[in-house]
Amino acid sequence: MPGETAGKPPAGVVLLQAEDDAAATVRPTLQAMDADLGRVFVCDPAGTGGKPLTLPGDLKLVEDAVAAVKARLVVIDPATAQLPRWLRWGV
């Protein structure tokens, strides 16, 4: 963070993504960046029977993922894909 001089210890990340295939795109990208995959939880619709994650309906899954990897960062990409259809702009 701006103004901080001390580094922070590594922490987990939860990636809620709806566009890229986790096995074909996300995992190879993380590996290329030398990410510690044990600290990363990727929500992949392919792993949930093709059903996309929606918020707030699947918040428990997100909370469990945060706890499992001790996440300090949750990335929602794209945010509108994780919302129920009735909350999305222009739908």
Side-chain angles (χ1 to χ4, degrees):
M1 297 300 296
E4 290 189 19
T5 57
K8 301 286 184 190
V13 175
V14 173
L15 175 57
L16 309 177
Q17 60 85 35
E19 295 180 337
D20 296 319
D21 181 87
T25 305
V26 178
R27 184 181 183 92
T29 301
L30 291 169
Q31 288 173 319
M33 294 186 298
D34 202 26
D36 180 350
L37 297 178
R39 294 181 185 267
V40 180
F41 175 89
V42 178
C43 183
D44 182 13
T48 58
K51 177 186 170 275
L53 178 132
T54 58
L55 297 173
D58 291 317
L59 189 56
K60 176 74 170 119
L61 178 118
V62 177
E63 291 171 338
D64 291 347
V66 166
V69 296
K70 297 181 175 80
R72 294 183 63 198
L73 175 67
V74 176
V75 178
I76 303 173
D77 178 38
T80 55
Q82 312 301 331
L83 297 173
R85 189 163 188 76
W86 63 272
L87 276 177
R88 297 181 198 163
W89 286 79
V91 177

